[in-house]
Amino acid sequence: MNLTGVKTILFSEEAIQKRVRELGRQISDDYRDKHPILISVLKGTMYFVADLTRQMDIPVNIDFMSIGVYPGISRKTGIVRINKDLDINITGRHVLMIEDIINTGLTMGYLVQNMEARKPASIKVCTLLNNPFKRLMNIPLAYVGFQVPDIYLVGYGIDYNQEYRHLPYIAEFDEDEYKNEQA
Amino acid sequence: MAIITISRLDGSLGYEIAEQLSQKLNMRLILRDTVISDWMAEAANGYQLHMLAESPKFYLTNISDGVSFKDYIEARLIEEAEKVPSVIVGMGGQIIFANHPNAIRIRIIASDHIRKERLKSKYGFGEAEAEKLILQSDKKHKKYIQTLYGIDWSDTKNFDMVLNTDNLSVNQCVDMITVLAASKDSLTASPGFEEAGRSAFAYDRKNIMFKHPAEEEFATILDMYGIEWEYEPRTFPVQWDAEGNVKMAISPDFYLAKFDTYIEITTMDQKYVTTKNKKVKRLRELYPDININIVYKKDFHSLLKRFGFSGEDEIDEFNRSENNSVQ
């Protein structure tokens, strides 16, 4: 398997699964009798949400969202739009947003605002990885898998150019090495 | 972010309803004329503007890179409507915003008889002229929607509410639309609906004089994500002299009220950021409840690159001229 650019493994498959089990238990305890909706942001969260929910022993609904940045026409930057919206009505429900990694917080900020407008009973955020070094805004994180350094990571759903999502571990990624190989 | 689309027949009072609605709810009114004269003028030459006024099929013409005039208008409408609460008249708004969680789609109709009477009264038309006008107008609207979207303009399935103004006044229609908007949680919960004036001010960059091009670019990024911001809303004194006069203060560039966070942008080279770092450090010591983040040059350029802006050279040039003027 060509793993150009994939460097040091930060979190092994075992370490990830152990932490996911802990999070699953913690979330189950906190949301007992609340029947939460876990909203997973595609695509990076696919393995995380699958493993996390299977560690939960409470009733839970799962839904998916996808957002995209669309290039503007007369502007230099684009707009953020929802590609795939929720199927489930979250009004009055306890919502837990699931994210793979939070860097600047812009995406989660957009999502939290969007969800709040739909008047859920509560809304909290669970992220597998938290990079506080790039954070632009204060977003309370109720559940964090791991805090990470300010480096590019791939694996366990996180990609570089749609590659490497399938790796069972999370590793540092050398973008320059990858680009040089591609050139 | 609140969006109300109005589809109307000529003589149905649709324009009057849209206008009153926008005033009552403090929402921007976007008309086809606005789009053609202001927005399209950026993308089309004189001939193309003429053709757009005459031929719906011309909207499918490619402008550049596979983007047609239709695509341009749609993207621009979405972009603008998501920045400022808007009432959008015509232009296929009921299709463009069909799945938008913060939009409601209204159709205003009236009987042909009533429409003709109104047009006769308004323009001094005779019976035949009024008849001709509504036939031509309906045909034109129908052709536009059919050509661009392949659907029946009058299909009521594309609307959340249809109002017949034969026996309803403009005020009554505006009240009913307002009630519908109020009952649609996602619409009223939007800051744009409840505090339309505040949001409109916050997003109205024409009134803001950014001191640095980087700040304007950063505001653009925040707008892209629909993150409300205020520009330099507060000054924090961080050092005083022996007499209690303020010696040093900092006015962080942005405040994101929703996230209770101040953001200070710095695009200077590392050797010039010492003073700024010192100020922010003092702010954190003196005001521990204040959340403030600094965005340094490297991270700022990384953000710009991520969102497709290539203005790094302009910003660096601006910084160089600032440094030279200080020295």
Side-chain angles (χ1 to χ4, degrees), chain B residues 159-297:
Chain B
F159 301 97
D160 301 305
M161 176 186 275
V162 179
L163 296 170
N164 184 339
T165 60
D166 275 11
N167 296 309
L168 293 173
S169 68
V170 170
N171 284 341
Q172 286 171 322
C173 290
V174 167
D175 287 345
M176 282 190 274
I177 296 169
T178 305
V179 168
L180 173 63
S183 70
K184 189 174 163 73
D185 291 339
S186 64
L187 206 66
T188 57
S190 134
F193 188 86
E194 290 179 347
E195 299 183 66
R198 181 175 173 277
S199 291
F201 177 80
Y203 288 118
D204 185 0
R205 299 227 220 125
K206 291 176 195 167
N207 290 334
I208 295 176
M209 297 294 293
F210 291 101
K211 293 179 189 151
H212 195 289
E215 294 165 352
E216 184 164 12
E217 290 309 320
F218 190 77
T220 300
I221 292 172
L222 292 175
D223 286 345
M224 221 168 73
Y225 281 88
I227 308 282
E228 282 187 48
W229 51 266
E230 295 171 59
Y231 181 62
E232 293 190 346
R234 186 175 169 186
T235 298
F236 296 89
V238 293
Q239 195 174 42
W240 296 260
D241 63 20
E243 293 174 346
N245 301 309
V246 176
K247 276 180 62 178
M248 183 163 38
I250 177 171
S251 303
D253 298 318
F254 294 94
Y255 178 61
L256 313 183
K258 191 80 183 172
F259 303 96
D260 190 25
T261 302
Y262 290 87
I263 294 179
E264 177 68 14
I265 311 286
T266 175
T267 56
M268 309 288 263
D269 289 331
Q270 204 58 35
K271 57 187 175 186
Y272 296 120
V273 301
T274 307
T275 304
K276 193 164 278 193
N277 281 339
K278 183 180 169 186
K279 287 184 180 181
V280 170
K281 185 181 173 197
R282 284 292 292 159
L283 188 156
R284 286 178 174 145
E285 288 168 355
L286 293 166
Y287 308 91
D289 293 334
I290 296 295
N291 297 307
I292 179 167
N293 292 321
I294 304 179
V295 180
Y296 291 101
K297 179 178 178 178

Side-chain angles (χ1 to χ4, degrees), chain A residues 15-168:
Chain A
I16 293 171
Q17 293 305 319
K18 176 174 182 284
R19 186 66 185 125
V20 169
R21 278 194 298 274
E22 290 168 355
L23 287 172
R25 276 196 297 271
Q26 186 182 355
I27 293 169
S28 295
D29 289 342
D30 293 344
Y31 282 90
R32 210 159 293 281
D33 300 325
K34 288 186 177 175
H35 198 169
I37 295 176
L38 268 60
I39 296 176
S40 175
V41 185
L42 295 173
K43 305 176 191 172
T45 59
M46 59 178 181
Y47 296 115
F48 180 40
V49 74
D51 290 341
L52 178 67
T53 50
R54 285 182 294 179
Q55 297 300 326
M56 292 170 66
D57 64 354
I58 59 169
V60 57
N61 294 129
I62 305 169
D63 207 340
F64 297 91
M65 278 193 86
S66 170
I67 66 171
V69 178
Y70 286 80
I73 307 290
S74 64
R75 310 278 305 274
K76 292 168 188 166
T77 54
I79 54 171
V80 174
R81 288 180 64 181
I82 294 175
N83 288 330
K84 192 270 169 196
D85 205 342
L86 300 176
D87 297 318
I88 302 175
N89 181 1
I90 66 168
T91 303
R93 300 289 304 273
H94 294 281
V95 169
L96 183 61
M97 302 295 300
I98 308 293
E99 183 63 295
D100 52 352
I101 181 167
I102 295 181
N103 288 304
T104 61
L106 284 168
T107 301
M108 188 49 68
Y110 170 84
L111 289 169
V112 166
Q113 282 193 160
N114 193 290
M115 295 300 109
E116 282 180 347
R118 306 181 200 209
K119 298 277 179 60
S122 70
I123 177 163
K124 292 187 181 178
V125 178
C126 168
T127 182
L128 176 65
L129 304 177
N130 176 32
N131 172 8
F133 304 99
K134 278 203 161 50
R135 192 66 36 80
L136 295 177
M137 59 196 74
N138 178 28
I139 296 183
L141 302 177
Y143 307 96
V144 174
F146 304 98
Q147 179 149 317
V148 296
D150 190 18
I151 55 176
Y152 211 105
L153 299 168
V154 292
Y156 197 63
I158 303 168
D159 75 304
Y160 179 81
N161 201 24
Q162 303 300 332
E163 303 285 347
Y164 303 129
R165 288 192 200 276
H166 66 294
L167 298 174

